[in-house]
Amino acid sequence: MLKDKQMPANPVVAVAGATGAVGAEFLKVLHDVDFPASEVRALASARSAGKELDFEGCGQVPAGKLIVQEMTPESFEGVDIALFSAGAGVSKAMRDAVVAAGAVMIDNSSAFRMDPDVPLVVPEVNPQDVAWHNGVIANPNCSTIQMVVALKPLYDLARIKRVVVSTYQAASGAGAPAMAELYDQTRAFLDGTPEGELEVNAFQHRIAFNCIPHIDVPMDDGSTKEEWKMVVETKKIMGDDDLAVSATCVRVPVLRCHGESINVEFAGEVTVEQARAALEAAAGVQVMDDLAACAYPMPGILAGTDGVFIGRLRRDESVEHGLAFWDVADQIRKGAALNAVQIAQLLIS
Ligand SMILES: NC(=O)c1ccc[n+]([C@@H]2O[C@H](COP(=O)([O-])OP(=O)(O)OC[C@H]3O[C@@H](n4cnc5c(N)ncnc54)[C@H](OP(=O)(O)O)[C@@H]3O)[C@@H](O)[C@H]2O)c1
């Protein structure tokens, strides 16, 4: 029934988790793409109810203040699109209310990504999967999104047999409080605060001047859940269960933008020149690759951008048909808010 619902040209949009790192970016992206909303509702926990958020306006909604409302099951009455970034528990708790209200939930959490009846969508890769949703569309993990945007044009040249990826993930990937912890800890560390007195809440260890090879919970096989997500989500989005993926995910003391070192093994010959041309022509990809001129993507220069930036393209001589490269994307924009808003645009197109 819901699949047949016609999405209005000017939908009512709820931003669930509007006070968080991704929620704040949702509001910016809705403005940046001038999303044709007739209303934007800002929802968060009871802690934030009544708080005013600056909104630059989009569609029929003028610039001004949005008053944050406490999220309850009733919040979704009259809503057409609910952009969720309030954690998996909240998404699970609110799913039935959102669907009963006739809205489509576009969810940034890991709650439903691997459910067989929930499409997992990156618009540059598998936009067609939006068509079979049953009220929920999942946004993939941020590290997965930026990797598959780069893999898709390469896969179209020759089937990819295996991917080995190591991530360098920004502190803000763990939310606004984690970004604040990196700032505060760095300052305290430089002020000479003894190790045992540094505040450590967002991560397993101090993140200032450190790298932590542990993101999300441990899995039984010795990997972490973040690594598992990159493996299973990549297969689902690319529609290839035989695509082998090996991931190592590391948190680094970067504020914003994830980096990834990626090695690809193709089933057939693909030259570096062919790969470069395919990436240059691909939607959502920007090639920034001139080693001699010290030009390559870096988190320090790419915060706030929309693309997946690729550099350090070269042959991987360790396998017969290998390619190595490095990618960087702003994980709060393309890895979360922008990707979800692009899905919303597919729903109204
Ligand atoms: N940060 C990223 O780069 C990133 C990327 C991709 C996906 N995600 C996913 O997006 C989600 C949010 O991440 P974030 O980084 O934006 O986290 P965050 O900065 O900690 O923000 C969390 C948001 O959820 C709200 N919230 C928490 N508990 C709630 C409850 N019981 N009821 C209603 N609202 C509640 C918070 O409201 P209050 O302010 O009122 O507490 C806040 O608006 C997570 O599932 C995360 O895995 C994050």
Side-chain angles (χ1 to χ4, degrees):
M1 186 182 74
L2 188 121
K3 276 160 94 169
D4 299 332
K5 177 188 157 173
Q6 180 74 35
M7 184 58 70
N10 299 106
V12 174
V13 177
V15 177
T19 52
V22 177
E25 206 61 37
F26 268 137
L27 298 179
K28 281 193 201 140
V29 174
L30 288 170
H31 167 76
D32 292 347
V33 305
D34 195 18
F35 192 80
S38 56
E39 181 189 336
V40 174
R41 277 181 212 171
L43 308 174
S45 77
R47 293 179 291 274
S48 306
K51 196 171 166 185
E52 291 188 345
L53 301 179
D54 289 325
F55 182 51
E56 293 182 84
C58 71
Q60 301 172 345
V61 186
K65 302 276 185 199
L66 296 178
I67 312 288
V68 178
Q69 302 169 30
E70 179 184 354
M71 193 190 317
T72 67
E74 291 71 42
S75 305
F76 301 98
E77 280 163 24
V79 169
D80 299 299
I81 295 174
L83 301 170
F84 262 76
S85 64
V90 177
S91 297
K92 284 181 185 163
M94 293 292 160
R95 176 186 183 153
D96 288 349
V98 173
V99 175
V104 180
M105 172 191 265
I106 303 176
D107 184 36
N108 263 288
S109 81
S110 59
F112 312 115
R113 288 180 189 149
M114 295 312 295
D115 287 9
D117 67 336
V118 173
L120 184 63
V121 176
V122 178
E124 292 87 347
V125 181
N126 59 336
Q128 70 284 357
D129 285 340
V130 161
W132 54 267
H133 77 81
N134 292 304
V136 180
I137 300 171
N139 214 48
N141 175 46
C142 43
S143 310
T144 309
I145 292 178
Q146 73 186 70
M147 182 167 81
V148 296
V149 168
L151 293 183
K152 171 73 168 116
L154 299 174
Y155 195 103
D156 289 344
L157 291 173
R159 193 174 71 77
I160 295 174
K161 287 164 50 179
R162 179 170 185 249
V163 178
V164 179
V165 54
S166 299
T167 69
Y168 300 65
Q169 297 186 218
S172 55
M179 186 152 50
E181 183 159 313
L182 173 56
Y183 267 117
D184 296 343
Q185 232 178 44
T186 303
R187 196 173 291 119
F189 188 89
L190 291 173
D191 285 347
T193 306
E195 185 82 36
E197 292 174 27
L198 291 169
E199 287 242 4
V200 176
N201 298 311
F203 305 107
Q204 301 84 354
H205 302 275
R206 159 168 68 81
I207 185 64
F209 303 101
N210 200 9
C211 296
I212 307 172
H214 182 173
I215 302 181
D216 211 329
V217 295
M219 304 292 282
D220 289 342
D221 65 356
S223 66
T224 63
K225 194 164 180 199
E226 185 82 352
E227 291 157 357
W228 173 83
K229 286 181 219 165
M230 290 196 76
V231 174
V232 296
E233 291 181 18
T234 300
K235 290 173 192 271
K236 181 170 177 177
I237 299 161
M238 300 290 288
D240 183 353
D241 277 343
D242 295 329
L243 175 53
V245 180
S246 173
T248 302
C249 295
V250 182
R251 189 74 69 188
V252 297
V254 160
L255 284 170
R256 198 168 154 147
C257 293
H258 293 346
E260 296 178 337
S261 162
I262 299 176
N263 292 65
V264 165
E265 184 180 357
F266 295 100
E269 177 64 19
V270 173
T271 65
V272 172
E273 292 68 32
Q274 287 170 325
R276 186 186 307 279
L279 288 164
E280 281 173 347
V285 174
Q286 296 204 38
V287 176
M288 185 187 273
D289 190 28
D290 187 348
L291 185 58
C294 306
Y296 26 71
M298 294 180 291
I301 57 171
L302 292 174
T305 56
D306 287 344
V308 172
F309 291 79
I310 310 277
R312 301 297 324 280
L313 262 174
R314 61 209 189 274
R315 191 170 181 81
D316 175 354
E317 300 283 0
S318 67
V319 291
E320 193 181 358
H321 302 299
L323 183 77
F325 59 95
W326 163 252
D327 76 10
V328 174
D330 184 326
Q331 93 288 346
I332 308 183
R333 278 185 84 89
K334 184 54 192 166
L338 175 63
N339 196 74
V341 172
Q342 287 172 324
I343 293 171
Q345 288 175 314
L346 289 175
L347 288 174
I348 56 170
S349 65

